[in-house]
Amino acid sequence: MKLKDGMWRWDYVYLAETKFYLPEDANLIFTNETPINLAEKRGVNCHGCQVKLEYELGQTEIVKQVQWQDKKFDVRIITLADISSFKFDQPNKKITFDVNDENKYVTLIIPLELLWNPYQVLLNGNTTLDNEFYSDGKTMWLGIKPDKVGTVEIIGVSAVPEFPLVSLLIFGSAMVVAVRYKNKFSLR
């Protein structure tokens, strides 16, 4: 294992089954740049694997509080990157922030009540790779690794206090049924 810029890294190749046991502080790891939340387990297995394993001990967590009307939401950001200009834009259903370091993992823990997934993630206006990799029903864990500095935009399908998508579907279905049967029932 090598420590570089606060992140432990190991390029591992082995043809037999391997179990990786990690320190207790390694709750969030990256295997081949894919984030894994180890909330319920202490290690990972692989069989005949070639893996780039990365993790940070004593994770750097930033909490950005978003207030919308009378509600407050905590968006947690786990990263070694320098983050600035964090904003929530309710009418456009998006979170934006500037990332001032390139090639560093940025993991956001977004309350679903604030901004619903799936997300479209842009870096300087261009689509970038992201991983929605863990949800506990209240939050979504979103991982990105910007390859350059710039502005990140995370656009969701619904934002507080809009009606949830399911409510709109139910309302729309009820309207179709009402129109279909309007002639069968008369109010006279």
Side-chain angles (χ1 to χ4, degrees):
M1 304 273 326
K2 293 180 183 175
L3 180 63
K4 183 180 177 188
D5 298 327
M7 187 72 74
W8 288 95
R9 292 180 168 85
W10 188 11
D11 288 322
Y12 182 82
V13 179
Y14 197 68
L15 299 176
E17 182 175 341
T18 304
K19 293 182 182 182
F20 296 96
Y21 295 97
L22 303 167
E24 284 189 31
D25 288 352
N27 294 323
L28 178 64
I29 67 168
F30 300 89
T31 58
N32 297 331
E33 298 189 356
T34 301
I36 299 173
N37 182 4
L38 294 178
E40 288 92 32
K41 38 186 167 168
R42 281 288 22 108
V44 292
N45 295 340
C46 71
H47 182 73
C49 68
Q50 176 175 353
V51 68
K52 180 177 159 186
L53 181 66
E54 300 171 283
Y55 61 88
E56 174 191 3
L57 293 177
Q59 295 174 331
T60 306
E61 184 173 305
I62 304 162
V63 178
K64 298 292 185 177
Q65 193 168 77
V66 174
Q67 180 154 355
W68 178 254
Q69 296 176 343
D70 61 339
K71 291 187 174 189
K72 292 181 181 179
F73 303 92
D74 288 339
V75 177
R76 295 173 27 216
I77 304 169
I78 301 170
T79 188
L80 291 172
D82 180 31
I83 302 292
S84 62
S85 304
F86 183 92
K87 294 179 194 131
F88 172 66
D89 181 354
Q90 192 277 341
N92 292 313
K93 304 174 189 119
K94 70 180 175 180
I95 292 172
T96 60
F97 58 89
D98 292 333
V99 62
N100 302 314
D101 296 306
E102 58 188 40
N103 293 315
K104 293 200 177 186
Y105 295 106
V106 179
T107 302
L108 290 100
I109 305 168
I110 303 170
L112 291 172
E113 192 178 352
L114 175 68
L115 189 64
W116 196 260
N117 67 319
Y119 305 112
Q120 179 183 17
V121 180
L122 306 172
L123 175 62
N124 297 327
N126 299 313
T127 302
T128 188
L129 294 175
D130 65 278
N131 292 291
E132 295 175 28
F133 65 96
Y134 178 77
S135 179
D136 60 8
K138 295 180 182 178
T139 60
M140 177 57 69
W141 291 53
L142 175 71
I144 59 174
K145 188 178 182 184
D147 59 355
K148 58 185 103 171
V149 299
T151 301
V152 174
E153 295 176 274
I154 301 167
I155 305 167
V157 295
S158 178
V160 65
E162 294 180 341
F163 291 111
L165 192 56
V166 173
S167 300
L168 295 175
L169 291 173
I170 292 170
F171 180 72
S173 299
M175 292 303 295
V176 168
V177 170
V179 168
R180 182 178 171 118
Y181 293 105
K182 75 175 183 170
N183 292 333
K184 290 192 177 198
F185 300 105
S186 174
L187 297 175
R188 293 186 239 159

